Amino acid sequence: MNDYEELRSIANEIAESVGTEVAERRSGGFVWSTKSSTSDVVTEIDTWAEDEIVRRITEKRPRDGLLGEEGTSTPGSTGVVWVIDPIDGTTNFLYDIPGYGISIGVQVDGAAVAGAVFDPVRLELFSAALGQGAARNGQPISPSPANELSTALVITGFSYQAEMRREQARILETVLPAVRDIRRLGGAALDLCAIACGRADASYERGLSPWDSIAGALIAREAGAIVDVGELTWASAPGIADAFQSLLERAQA
C-alpha cells in the first residue's frame, strides 16, 4: 500500500464511522445557531463531528496538520494537511433532507492526494487517491457518457450571502435555458461525487471553501471527470466539458 492509499484508507474509515454516528445523533435532537448569515447554519453535531474527526486523525497521524470548517486550524510538521467538513450540507441536515455528508480531504504540500466523502442517508462512501482512481463503496466509478450540453442535468449551489446569490441568479438565467435541467441537491462535496459516478452530468458553484471541494474534486477528477477548482468551481463529464466551460464563461460575461 503506497502512502496515498494509506491516507485514503484512514479518511474512508473515519468518514464512514463518524458519518454513521452523525445520522444516529440527528434523531436524538440537537441545538443549532447561525454564523455568517441567517442561512448559514451550524449545529452542535457539526461541532461534535469535527472534534471527533480531529481526535481520530490525531491518534493515527499526530504530526499532520488539520483544517476544519468549524474552526480547527492546527499546523503540522509533515507537509500533510487533513481538510475537514464535518457536515457538508448542514441546511439539509437541519431539515432532514438527503444531500448532506462528511468530507475529509488530504493534501500533501498543498496538493490533494486522497479524500473520502460519506453519505449517511444513501450509505455511500466515495473515495479516491491520487493516481489510483475513484470508487463508491469500493467499486470503480466513472462520469456519465453525456455528449450534448442541451440534454445535460446540471447541479449547482448557492452562497449564504445575499449579494452573491443575486449574481448566482443572474448566471442561472443563462445556464438554465441551455441544459436539460438544474438541480440544487445539498452539499458541494456530494455534488462533485454525483458527477464522478454519472448521477448528473455537470456541476458548478461559486465561492467554495477548501473543505467543500478538496475531497470531492479529487474524487471527480480521479473518476475521469473534467474539474476546474477556483472562484467558480465546476466539474463535468468529459464529453460536454468544453461546451459547459464556454457556457459558464458566457454566463459570467
Side-chain angles (χ1 to χ4, degrees):
M1 179 181 290
N2 64 37
D3 290 344
Y4 297 165
E5 281 288 356
E6 180 179 2
L7 296 171
R8 175 188 193 171
S9 179
I10 293 171
N12 284 353
E13 175 190 343
I14 295 174
E16 185 168 15
S17 177
V18 174
T20 299
E21 189 162 348
V22 161
E24 292 172 352
R25 284 175 174 246
R26 195 200 176 284
S27 64
F30 52 88
V31 176
W32 61 275
S33 58
T34 58
K35 296 187 288 186
S36 63
S37 72
T38 56
S39 57
D40 187 4
V41 177
V42 62
T43 74
E44 62 182 324
I45 301 178
D46 290 78
T47 305
W48 170 84
E50 181 159 307
D51 290 346
E52 183 65 9
I53 292 167
V54 166
R55 182 187 70 78
R56 296 190 188 199
I57 293 171
T58 302
E59 283 182 351
K60 295 177 180 292
R61 306 271 309 187
R63 296 171 53 232
D64 291 352
L66 298 151
L67 178 66
E69 181 180 15
E70 305 310 333
T72 298
S73 182
T74 303
S77 59
T78 62
V80 177
V81 179
W82 297 76
V83 185
I84 303 158
D85 197 334
I87 304 179
D88 184 45
T90 299
T91 301
N92 285 41
F93 178 78
L94 177 68
Y95 286 92
D96 198 18
I97 297 172
Y100 66 88
I102 287 71
S103 177
I104 302 176
V106 191
Q107 293 180 310
V108 174
D109 297 328
V113 300
V117 178
F118 180 63
D119 180 342
V121 178
R122 288 181 178 265
L123 299 179
E124 291 181 331
L125 176 65
F126 296 90
S127 70
L130 184 63
Q132 303 299 313
R136 175 179 57 196
N137 293 344
Q139 299 301 309
I141 54 175
S142 59
S144 82
N147 56 24
E148 291 290 341
L149 186 61
S150 62
T151 59
L153 182 64
V154 177
I155 303 172
T156 193
F158 302 109
S159 169
Y160 295 125
Q161 306 303 319
E163 284 304 315
M164 188 176 288
R165 286 185 173 199
R166 291 187 181 94
E167 173 63 13
Q168 289 168 327
R170 185 185 68 80
I171 291 172
L172 192 61
E173 288 181 348
T174 300
V175 174
L176 181 55
V179 300
R180 169 168 282 158
D181 212 343
I182 294 281
R183 292 292 182 268
R184 199 277 191 260
L185 301 180
L190 282 175
D191 289 352
L192 289 162
C193 291
I195 308 310
C197 72
R199 188 166 282 155
D201 303 309
S203 70
Y204 73 96
E205 187 166 351
R206 181 182 294 279
L208 295 180
S209 297
W211 43 78
D212 297 316
S213 62
I214 285 175
L218 178 67
I219 292 165
R221 189 175 288 119
E222 284 292 321
I226 307 302
V227 183
D228 185 40
V229 176
E231 173 58 24
L232 181 72
T233 293
W234 63 269
S236 85
I240 59 169
D242 289 345
F244 188 59
Q245 182 178 19
S246 295
L247 173 63
L248 293 175
E249 289 171 352
R250 292 199 306 275
Q252 295 176 88

